[in-house]
Amino acid sequence: MALRAWLDIRRFWQPEHAPALLMIPLGLIVTVCVVDVLAPPHIHLGPLLVAAPAITVAFGGARTTAAMGALAVAAQVSIGVLRGVFGTANIQAQIAALIVVSAVCVTVCAVRDRREQQLHQVRSVAEAAQRVLLQPLPPRAGPLRIAGLYLPAEAEAELGGDLYAAARTAHHSTRLLIGDVRGSGLGAISKTALLLGAFRAAAHRQATLPRLAVHLDGAFRWDTRQWGSQTEQDTTEDFATALLLDIPDHDPVVHLISCGHPPPLILRGDRLIPLVSEASHLPIGFGGAFGVADYDVQTFPFEEGDLMLLYTDGVIEARNAEGRFYPFSERAPQWSADDPGELLRHLQADLLAHVHAHLDDDAAVVAIRRTAPTPPPSGPAL
């Protein structure tokens, strides 16, 4: 986010976007020329011309800076000619110094512009990777309206260890995953991609949520341990907290399995209802001894008009400068009447204001509203 903001500011302050900025160094050159020519012989303001290319570096590119440096040199020559001192060693030294400083300014601009272009390309690749890995949630799935929000902790990152995904099943239900992979950096991104891929490959065809949980846990552990020694396998700390949900189209309930993840919240009018599961299983990656029978599915009411919030601990553990946690359960009901996308926009602005735009951990939120169910299909599901 910091990189994006800096590049946006740089583009805004380019001369083509704010041509009036060019009047600052131009006005300085004209002022120095007029005052120096009219001033007494013992007053010399010519050295101030060096400020013109130096100021241009702040908003202009290499060509603009070079042009301003050339104008400053021309102005210094004109001052020497008009005052009749062009042949003196003093004025020639000033001209030489101005040429050197202008050349340095142009070099700095060229290096900086090339670096910004490289960073822009990196950002474009990161955004493309995010769209591939953390695909946008469908705005509509059966009777559900869905929206997702992802906020990375690292300013230049587009993806970290938090994840979410959705899939439709042949049984006319929507399955969702939200999770938080331990750690950060490339290792967490690799595990995030693994879980998202495993979920998308299996969520639509696994008969039950427990089978899906076993599948995700097995895929995670296999990837973690396939190349490690036995000692490394015994000491690995790779894991991910996760929630697996199945929401039927024509039954006002939600089925879920909690693997060490914070409980969802239901906003029902002005009430906030935490869906605290009686059975919270070990995180994904720790369930090696578990089978399908070991995962308990909890069922909660999820009625028409209800809005459910799934989130990661980066939201509820976000601290401000005074060390106070973000009051998620207090703020969220304020926007319960909004559609999911609008609610997340309010939440994002409020959360970033609370932490002064500096998150210590990745944060993800998924908002789901159940609307009136569509008529049940008349024929068998394909």
Side-chain angles (χ1 to χ4, degrees):
M1 290 184 294
L3 170 62
R4 180 177 302 177
W6 167 247
L7 292 177
D8 289 343
I9 291 173
R10 281 275 303 143
R11 282 193 291 269
F12 175 79
W13 287 103
Q14 291 294 320
E16 60 268 23
H17 295 288
L21 290 174
L22 291 175
M23 297 305 298
I24 298 175
L26 287 175
L28 175 64
I29 292 174
V30 172
T31 301
V32 169
C33 285
V34 172
V35 174
D36 203 320
V37 169
L38 299 179
H42 63 279
I43 296 178
H44 302 282
L45 299 182
L48 293 178
L49 290 171
V50 75
I55 291 173
T56 309
V57 171
F59 60 84
R63 293 182 179 180
T64 304
T65 303
M68 204 59 63
L71 286 176
V73 172
Q76 184 69 78
V77 171
S78 300
I79 291 173
V81 171
L82 292 174
R83 299 192 64 168
V85 294
F86 180 73
T88 64
N90 182 45
I91 196 69
Q92 292 178 0
Q94 292 181 21
I95 293 173
L98 186 54
I99 292 174
V100 171
V101 172
S102 298
V104 171
C105 290
V106 171
T107 302
V108 169
C109 275
V111 173
R112 182 199 61 199
D113 292 347
R114 183 176 179 180
R115 178 61 175 167
E116 287 182 359
Q117 183 180 10
Q118 292 173 342
L119 290 176
H120 181 71
Q121 292 173 347
V122 170
R123 194 189 90 185
S124 299
V125 172
E127 290 176 344
Q130 182 192 36
R131 288 192 294 269
V132 172
L133 295 179
L134 197 64
Q135 297 175 4
L137 293 172
R140 180 169 184 168
L144 306 179
R145 301 294 181 270
I146 307 175
L149 170 66
Y150 181 82
L151 297 173
E154 298 183 19
E156 286 80 19
E158 296 290 340
L159 186 64
D162 289 8
L163 59 107
Y164 51 69
R168 289 287 290 172
T169 73
H171 306 288
H172 306 292
S173 69
T174 301
R175 285 187 172 165
L176 295 111
L177 164 70
I178 185 167
D180 184 358
V181 176
R182 174 187 175 275
S184 60
L186 293 178
I189 294 175
S190 174
K191 298 302 181 186
T192 297
L194 170 71
L195 282 179
L196 289 172
F199 176 83
R200 291 173 184 140
H204 67 286
R205 60 181 175 83
Q206 294 290 344
T208 64
L209 282 183
R211 289 186 181 276
L212 180 57
V214 170
H215 174 77
L216 294 181
D217 182 78
F220 193 94
R221 288 185 296 105
W222 171 82
D223 184 77
T224 299
R225 303 178 181 181
Q226 63 171 324
W227 304 117
S229 64
Q230 185 63 43
T231 302
E232 292 172 339
Q233 293 178 16
D234 293 338
T235 59
T236 181
E237 296 182 359
D238 289 334
F239 65 88
T241 65
L243 272 176
L244 291 170
L245 303 97
D246 187 89
I247 306 175
D249 289 354
H250 306 290
D251 192 7
V253 297
V254 54
H255 309 292
L256 67 86
I257 290 178
S258 175
C259 298
H261 200 79
L265 301 177
I266 292 284
L267 299 178
R268 183 173 296 155
D270 57 355
R271 297 173 56 202
L272 185 145
I273 307 170
L275 304 186
V276 180
S277 177
E278 296 179 1
S280 182
H281 303 288
L282 291 174
I284 298 295
F286 283 164
F290 286 1
V292 172
D294 297 305
Y295 283 98
D296 295 324
V297 179
Q298 303 290 305
T299 300
F300 299 91
F302 184 37
E303 303 169 358
E304 179 182 339
D306 287 354
L307 191 145
M308 180 163 52
L309 293 175
L310 316 176
Y311 55 93
T312 60
D313 58 10
V315 178
I316 57 177
E317 295 179 0
R319 297 174 183 259
N320 61 11
E322 291 75 34
R324 292 195 296 269
F325 291 113
Y326 178 66
F328 181 57
S329 59
E330 299 175 12
R331 301 289 177 84
Q334 301 177 18
W335 311 300
S336 61
D338 297 336
D339 67 80
E342 189 66 21
L343 181 147
L344 293 186
R345 284 189 285 272
H346 287 304
L347 177 63
Q348 177 180 2
D350 193 55
L351 176 60
L352 292 178
H354 178 80
V355 299
H356 304 291
H358 179 72
L359 286 169
D360 293 326
D361 191 11
D362 300 330
V365 186
V366 177
I368 309 157
R369 185 180 295 281
R370 182 186 281 278
T371 62
T374 56
S378 56
L382 298 178

